[in-house]
Amino acid sequence: MPLARLRGIVEEKGADWVIVGVGGIGLVASVPSTAADDLAVGRQAALFTYLHVREDALTLYGFTSRDELRLFEQLIGVSGVGPRAALGLLSALDGPRLATAIASGQTDLLRKVPGVGQKTAERLVLELRDKVAVPDDLPPPSLTKQGERQADADLVAALMGLGYTQMEAQNAAERLPDAGEASLEERVRSVLQSLAPR
């Protein structure tokens, strides 16, 4: 029988995982970073879970709401979107905002999530636009703080790959004006245009 829910004390946690103690056993669950931020070590946690079974591994994914679990299951039902990519989407955009971005066809916003390219973003919109549950009273979707930090980290890494030092890359990323829905490639191009030739 699938493991549907998990309730216990949070014993340890990281950016996107928690260990929940249940009956003397510590169960590791991968969770969206937004959920990890809300869970505290030593406090009770209740997670809706999805057990991903592969030949070489069993991975437990946990979510703080049934709606978020349902959205995760919809995401991994899309060709080319695995559990880790789905978790990344739910970390960069919380469940309601992610659903809104998909329903409104905002592929540019989806592409800002690490590991999501243009084709995957378009496939998500095409297959899920009419299936996701969108709240009525939600502000326009935008990346969470974690998603923004990850987008900045990706920009810094890309610049370092082009030969800039970490300090040069971080300074350039901080000076870059708000690029709206720009992709990583467009943001790198904007930075290169603003930097003096090396």
Side-chain angles (χ1 to χ4, degrees), residues 109-130:
L109 182 59
L110 297 173
R111 282 170 48 215
K112 292 174 78 172
V113 178
V116 177
Q118 181 66 28
K119 289 184 179 179
T120 301
E122 290 173 351
R123 199 178 298 123
L124 285 165
V125 170
L126 179 66
E127 295 189 25
L128 299 181
R129 172 176 255 163
D130 299 324

Side-chain angles (χ1 to χ4, degrees), residues 163-182:
Y164 292 91
T165 67
Q166 183 171 359
M167 181 171 292
E168 288 173 332
Q170 286 176 338
N171 288 339
E174 289 171 2
R175 290 197 306 268
L176 183 67
D178 182 13
E181 309 301 327

Side-chain angles (χ1 to χ4, degrees), residues 34 88-102 104 106 108-113 138-149 151 178 180-181:
T34 48
L89 282 159
L90 284 164
S91 291
L93 289 156
D94 63 26
R97 286 180 170 79
L98 176 56
T100 301
I102 291 171
S104 56
Q106 296 190 39
D108 286 344
L109 182 59
L110 297 173
R111 282 170 48 215
K112 292 174 78 172
V113 178
L138 195 71
S142 60
L143 291 182
T144 63
K145 291 299 180 185
Q146 190 275 344
E148 291 173 357
R149 289 195 300 270
D178 182 13
E181 309 301 327

